Amino acid sequence: MDDHIFTLSDNVTRQAVSYRNRFGVELAGDLYLPADFDQSQRYPALIIGAPYGGVKEQGPGIYANELAQRGYVALAFDPSYNGDSAGTPRRVSSPEVFVEDFHAGVDFLGTHAGVDRDKIGIIGICGSGGFGLSAAQVDPRIKAVATVSLYDISRLHAEGFAGSLDEETRKANLAMMAEQRWEDFASGRPKLSPRGSPLQIDADTPAIGCEFGEFYSRPRGYHPNSTTQFTLSSAMAFMNFPMLDKLSWISPRPILLVMGEQAHSRYFSEDIYEAAAEPKELYVVPSANHVDLYDRTDVIPFDKLETFFGDALK
């Protein structure tokens, strides 16, 4: 059964693929190819990461479906421990492992017939924007990075949204998670965090919750593998290990940061733009919010992405 939230183009073929990362976790992916793909040729390739809590059948597949029509081999994948990818306990979230998943995507594409291993780029949506940038800091095989509606998950957990986490609350959160680890160890069933996207939306639901809920919890973007929950204790690692403190190492490879004009998350992209070395570009999509850039093909700037990667992966 096809449970993707979009219709595959007649100009694209999609193949289910699997490959292992360096931790031995088998990753599940969808490989999108131009319909006239010829493995005797050498195509540029893109790895497309899901929003934090999302899966390959949602936004990553939408991007891959479009960019394969424009001549790219595009890989959408489920992160380790999530979706159709392997790994236990289920729904673990890890800064190192989620970054490693991008390195593994480069391994896979760079050894795939028909792919030019010198022309591999990354598109990271939401949290994957941070994971993709982090991978590029130390992996020169990644020739260009575009982020869309960027979230830095390490910063979010360590500081709270827009720096709202005070020291007392942070200590209380860490104490709670430390106690939870004992319970998880004893039960063998790690407790999950509350849903990132509420199932019920009413007048009391915060605006950001409404935005995520309208996508993940409604027919627009719903997928059973995308509960927007992770093991509760996963946040400890993100609080301990910042991911984006070596951005200058990406230069002279280019960075494109795409954000919606009305995105609640825009400060992440703006701050990364200031911290990154040249070449870099901040591209603002008029009137778009954070989630609009997950799936709204009428506002996602595919022409801009095509131009960016066309120049970067020459």
Side-chain angles (χ1 to χ4, degrees):
M1 182 182 70
D2 184 1
D3 56 358
H4 295 72
I5 70 167
F6 61 95
T7 301
L8 185 69
S9 168
D10 291 338
N11 297 317
V12 174
T13 60
R14 179 171 60 214
Q15 302 173 357
V17 298
S18 64
Y19 51 96
R20 293 184 183 274
N21 66 20
R22 73 180 181 88
F23 297 108
V25 177
E26 186 167 319
L27 300 175
D30 285 331
L31 189 65
Y32 292 75
L33 305 168
D36 59 355
F37 177 77
D38 178 355
Q39 68 178 20
S40 69
Q41 303 300 312
R42 287 162 58 85
Y43 294 77
L46 299 171
I47 304 162
I48 305 173
Y52 195 59
V55 291
K56 63 186 180 302
E57 292 85 358
Q58 298 168 318
I62 290 172
Y63 278 71
N65 183 54
E66 176 66 31
L67 290 162
Q69 297 176 63
R70 300 174 183 233
Y72 291 88
V73 172
L75 174 66
F77 67 95
D78 288 336
S80 295
Y81 310 105
N82 291 269
D84 292 324
S85 288
T88 56
R90 300 304 296 162
R91 305 201 186 284
V92 166
S93 173
S94 164
E96 183 179 11
V97 177
F98 282 10
V99 171
E100 162 61 22
D101 288 345
F102 277 94
H103 295 304
V106 179
D107 297 339
F108 172 76
L109 286 176
T111 55
H112 192 281
V115 169
D116 187 338
R117 65 168 53 180
D118 294 322
K119 296 181 179 181
I120 297 176
I122 279 176
I123 298 176
I125 309 170
C126 185
S128 282
F131 305 138
L133 283 170
S134 187
Q137 290 177 149
V138 294
D139 194 338
R141 301 175 301 171
I142 299 168
K143 302 304 183 184
V145 182
T147 69
V148 179
S149 295
L150 171 68
Y151 251 74
D152 178 349
I153 303 300
S154 285
R155 181 180 177 187
L156 178 70
H157 281 304
E159 300 179 4
F161 185 76
S164 60
L165 189 64
D166 59 67
E167 184 176 2
E168 182 178 353
T169 304
R170 179 167 53 253
K171 288 181 177 179
N173 287 348
L174 287 170
M176 175 273 293
M177 286 185 280
E179 290 289 333
Q180 187 62 50
R181 286 186 63 104
W182 272 320
E183 293 185 23
D184 291 351
F185 185 83
S187 70
R189 297 185 301 274
K191 184 177 181 180
L192 295 180
S193 65
R195 287 183 61 92
S197 61
L199 293 172
Q200 302 299 324
I201 299 173
D202 55 35
D204 296 325
T205 305
I208 295 176
C210 288
E211 187 176 336
F212 284 123
E214 289 291 347
F215 180 80
Y216 287 107
S217 305
R218 298 293 183 271
R220 172 183 171 188
Y222 174 78
H223 192 279
N225 283 348
S226 179
T227 65
T228 64
Q229 290 177 288
F230 294 102
T231 57
L232 190 62
S233 60
S234 290
M236 295 177 78
F238 283 98
M239 295 174 77
N240 202 25
F241 298 108
M243 296 187 297
L244 300 175
D245 56 352
K246 301 175 181 65
L247 285 169
S248 65
W249 292 9
I250 298 175
S251 179
R253 293 165 291 151
I255 298 170
L256 172 66
L257 301 140
V258 178
M259 69 179 191
E261 181 183 25
Q262 298 176 2
H264 67 266
S265 57
R266 59 180 294 161
Y267 78 94
F268 286 116
S269 294
E270 291 167 339
D271 289 354
I272 291 298
Y273 177 76
E274 290 300 319
E278 295 286 354
K280 59 185 177 180
E281 182 178 358
L282 183 64
Y283 186 87
V284 182
V285 180
S287 301
N289 66 23
H290 177 91
V291 172
D292 285 339
L293 300 182
Y294 287 9
D295 67 328
R296 286 191 53 192
T297 56
D298 57 325
V299 299
I300 296 171
F302 287 119
D303 289 344
K304 178 62 181 178
L305 290 167
E306 182 180 15
T307 300
F308 170 72
F309 285 111
D311 291 340
L313 304 180
K314 288 180 179 177

